[in-house]
Amino acid sequence: MTSQSGVTTVMKSNNSLDRVSSYIIREIQLLDDRNFEDWMDLFTEEGFYWAPVQQGQKDPHSHVSLFFDQKQTMKTRIARLRHPKIFMQNPPSRTVHLVSNLCLVEPPADHVTAVRCNFIMLEYRPTRAQNVWGGRYDYHLVVDGEDDYKIAMKKASLVTSDGQFPSLALWF
Amino acid sequence: MQLDTRISDDDLKSLVREEKIHHRAYLDPEIFELEMKRIWGRAWIYVGHESQVPNPGDFITTKIGRAPVVMSRHTDGKIYVLYNRCGHRGAQVVQDTHGNCQKFQCMYHGWRFDTNGDLRAVTFPEGFGADVMDRADPKYGMVRLPGVGVYRGFVFARQSRTGVSFEDYLGEAAAAIDEVVNRSPMGEVEISAGCHRYTYEGNWKLQADNLGDQTHAPFSHASSLGSDGYQFSRRSGSKGTRIRILDEKGEAAMHSPGLWSYPWGHASTGSHGMDGEQGGGAFERYRKVMEDAYGPEKAKEYMTHKRHTAFFYPSVDFHVLANAVRVIQPISVDFTEVTIWPIRLKGAPDEIFHDGLRFVNLSHAAASLGQTDDVEAFERSQRAFETTGAEWVNFIGGMGLDRPSAERGGIHGPPCSELGVRGMHAAWLSYMTGAWEDSK
């Protein structure tokens, strides 16, 4: 069916939505727990995390992005987050990620489960003001084994994507 | 905004020594106001690149110091830089960051302007007849900035009617812009991929100072290095892509020819040592189109990095390695915005541009693995500058080692030198006290 917003909602069982919801909650909790290595392992080998700068940005190749992390970049970023001399994370940021308005949407391919939801992330690095980031997540999930997913794409489209940013260390 | 000042030239002179600057230059809001008037109001300031306004009616908006400006391409094909201000009641006319239009129209009373700033139409013309105003008088239009200079497509403007010519302002430092543009097989570049936009809680000069030394890299950027002492990839190819910052023993290993200082506060740092000669992957196809365009010898010369950065005081840095333009925008005495605009080398393979974008994301985005270290240093500096009792900020590195450079012009210092920063602060004093007028 097509909703008023033009989003085609795929009718699936509540069970499927519940499963996806649990998976995404687990994913963002890994970020909040600073368990970056396990978080990275959620992605497929070709998977990527993308936070565009432009509203409605088509791809990560023709315009700058806040983050465009394939696995190699995730590894480099995590090595830096674990480095004793990452001065811009001394002290480290504390975060809480929240998701809401989760729904399944038309996937780009049959083997993909496409999820859209909204998010808010609170970030506090002691001595600094608290940051509130928010926007929309788009996930492309692929089935991994019996009943688990891997992330082929996580896109974080911030409402402030083309605005000013202080230094950022952590994924939305 | 404060137009008058109680700060005398002697006060200003007392803040700058050859090797140090007083913390008040970074802290005092009244000094910041003077900088807006005397540096950002006098110097040539970077505005944008011609490729951002390719067609008649195209425009972008930005700021020069505090003044909102529009850079447009008019129907005569020329570039204009206008105050983004209505000649009627002074409201900002153009709101969008970029776009195309036939006329600019003010939202307040509907006055319309040509894209060269001329007043074209007023609402209720019976109230604004020849008896009360001369419509051809430029003051009723969107006023043009007195000076516009273009070098290889990069557009600068200045608010002052007098001062050094654009050509003399760039001087020998202009070779850095050639280095960037010559890396296009067509000898042309474009800016078309938007910008990164990061801010910090500190004075604008902290970003400038950072561009006049290389000695911070082994320490500030320690967390960006692999266990082999090399940083993450910065450019296309399968080899020769990473900067070497630490040696096998973990000691600082800055393989750089040093840095250069030029008149008007410009500074350029030499290219860092890399992990070998650049090659492999998409780079080989790029080499081929360069050789086809220029011949093997010239192509090799153009493709060999000589510079890491080149900063044109006070507003713009050409980041030669990252292939991007970095623009400083002072907001207040302790808050600064910086934008980073990737450059596309026209005629080079698409992968060169895509790789370049990816690397600029890594090195200079707000979420970068490199620039964020510098931002941390800027913010820690601004906070500690508040100290009274220890008030001088030192730039003594390499004092006495400076030599005139036959190779690149200007004054050369070794990699340990803070020569570039000393040159900036000399220019600061020159602009601030008006000594610039005497040397034009």
Side-chain angles (χ1 to χ4, degrees), chain A residues 144-155:
Chain A
D144 178 60
E146 282 285 296
D147 55 2
D148 212 352
Y149 293 112
K150 286 272 188 191
I151 303 172
M153 180 196 83
K154 176 180 178 181
K155 180 166 83 165

Side-chain angles (χ1 to χ4, degrees), chain B residues 272-327:
Chain B
H272 290 264
M274 308 295 287
D275 57 335
E277 193 179 333
Q278 189 174 11
F283 185 79
E284 295 306 325
R285 274 186 292 131
Y286 170 48
R287 192 200 305 276
K288 174 84 171 57
V289 293
M290 285 294 282
E291 286 178 352
D292 290 348
Y294 297 114
E297 205 171 307
K298 209 74 179 159
K300 187 175 169 62
E301 181 198 324
Y302 286 167
M303 295 171 83
T304 305
H305 283 106
K306 295 171 202 63
R307 296 167 183 82
H308 185 64
T309 62
F311 178 53
F312 292 82
Y313 189 87
S315 69
V316 65
D317 168 45
F318 287 77
H319 201 296
V320 182
L321 178 65
N323 210 31
V325 173
R326 172 187 350 232
V327 184

Side-chain angles (χ1 to χ4, degrees), chain A residues 80 83-87, chain B residues 210 213-226 229-231 234 243-247 249-256 272 308 370 373-374 415-417:
Chain A
R80 183 167 129 91
H83 197 286
K85 287 182 183 167
I86 177 162
F87 304 112
Chain B
N210 183 250
D213 91 83
Q214 288 184 308
T215 54
H216 70 279
F219 209 82
S220 289
H221 298 307
S223 66
S224 69
L225 305 180
Y230 289 98
Q231 211 179 36
R234 291 276 202 117
I243 293 178
R244 182 177 199 186
I245 295 182
L246 298 178
D247 67 16
K249 295 177 196 150
E251 300 292 323
M254 297 291 291
H255 295 292
S256 153
H272 290 264
H308 185 64
D373 298 321
D374 298 317
C416 66
S417 181

Side-chain angles (χ1 to χ4, degrees), chain B residues 83-345:
Chain B
Y83 286 114
N84 188 359
R85 179 187 184 280
C86 180
H88 175 211
R89 296 260 288 264
Q92 182 174 317
V93 177
V94 188
Q95 178 72 14
D96 296 340
T97 55
H98 63 282
N100 178 282
C101 66
Q102 290 194 327
K103 298 276 184 286
F104 297 128
Q105 182 162 34
C106 181
M107 60 76 67
Y108 200 179
H109 301 90
W111 282 28
R112 285 191 293 160
F113 307 91
D114 285 333
T115 46
N116 66 357
D118 289 348
L119 176 61
R120 185 51 48 209
V122 305
T123 316
F124 301 111
E126 63 276 19
F128 300 90
D131 49 329
V132 296
M133 64 181 272
D134 171 12
R135 283 201 207 173
D137 187 331
K139 76 181 176 201
Y140 294 120
M142 291 170 70
V143 174
R144 291 176 203 161
L145 271 75
V148 176
V150 183
Y151 187 75
R152 302 205 71 172
F154 293 98
V155 181
F156 291 68
R158 72 167 177 201
Q159 303 190 69
S160 170
R161 289 187 187 284
T162 57
V164 64
S165 71
F166 181 56
E167 195 183 14
D168 289 344
Y169 164 81
L170 292 181
E172 291 173 303
I177 304 178
D178 293 333
E179 181 175 348
V180 169
V181 180
N182 288 345
R183 278 155 53 192
S184 153
M186 297 166 68
E188 283 178 39
V189 298
E190 66 178 24
I191 287 182
S192 58
C195 69
H196 289 295
R197 196 177 289 279
Y198 67 82
T199 59
Y200 62 88
E201 293 179 10
N203 189 270
W204 66 272
K205 294 190 289 298
L206 286 158
Q207 174 70 79
D209 297 344
N210 183 250
L211 299 167
D213 91 83
Q214 288 184 308
T215 54
H216 70 279
F219 209 82
S220 289
H221 298 307
S223 66
S224 69
L225 305 180
S227 54
D228 57 359
Y230 289 98
Q231 211 179 36
F232 52 87
S233 278
R234 291 276 202 117
R235 58 189 188 183
S236 273
S238 58
K239 53 186 188 192
T241 67
R242 300 184 302 151
I243 293 178
R244 182 177 199 186
I245 295 182
L246 298 178
D247 67 16
E248 299 77 15
K249 295 177 196 150
E251 300 292 323
M254 297 291 291
H255 295 292
S256 153
L259 67 167
W260 283 258
S261 175
Y262 295 93
W264 308 101
H266 309 331
S268 176
T269 50
S271 184
H272 290 264
M274 308 295 287
D275 57 335
E277 193 179 333
Q278 189 174 11
F283 185 79
E284 295 306 325
R285 274 186 292 131
Y286 170 48
R287 192 200 305 276
K288 174 84 171 57
V289 293
M290 285 294 282
E291 286 178 352
D292 290 348
Y294 297 114
E297 205 171 307
K298 209 74 179 159
K300 187 175 169 62
E301 181 198 324
Y302 286 167
M303 295 171 83
T304 305
H305 283 106
K306 295 171 202 63
R307 296 167 183 82
H308 185 64
T309 62
F311 178 53
F312 292 82
Y313 189 87
S315 69
V316 65
D317 168 45
F318 287 77
H319 201 296
V320 182
L321 178 65
N323 210 31
V325 173
R326 172 187 350 232
V327 184
I328 299 177
Q329 178 65 65
I331 307 292
S332 65
V333 70
D334 57 2
F335 194 73
T336 305
E337 179 189 273
V338 181
T339 50
I340 306 275
W341 305 79
I343 291 168
R344 183 178 196 128
L345 303 171

Side-chain angles (χ1 to χ4, degrees), chain A residues 35-107:
Chain A
N35 190 345
F36 307 124
E37 292 79 3
D38 286 355
W39 177 78
M40 180 175 72
D41 286 342
L42 297 181
F43 286 77
T44 64
E45 279 315 301
E46 302 298 313
F48 63 91
Y49 172 93
W50 180 30
V53 162
Q54 200 178 30
Q55 294 284 303
Q57 189 172 329
K58 295 277 188 296
D59 63 61
H61 308 300
S62 55
H63 197 282
V64 294
S65 299
L66 285 162
F67 292 82
F68 175 57
D69 288 10
Q70 292 162 305
K71 272 223 158 139
Q72 187 54 44
T73 299
M74 287 179 193
K75 282 180 196 158
T76 308
R77 204 182 284 281
I78 291 169
R80 183 167 129 91
L81 285 164
R82 298 297 188 210
H83 197 286
K85 287 182 183 167
I86 177 162
F87 304 112
M88 53 86 69
Q89 278 287 280
N90 175 20
S93 298
R94 305 162 194 161
T95 65
V96 168
H97 291 70
L98 297 152
V99 291
S100 183
N101 305 23
L102 191 131
C103 57
L104 298 171
V105 294
E106 191 70 49

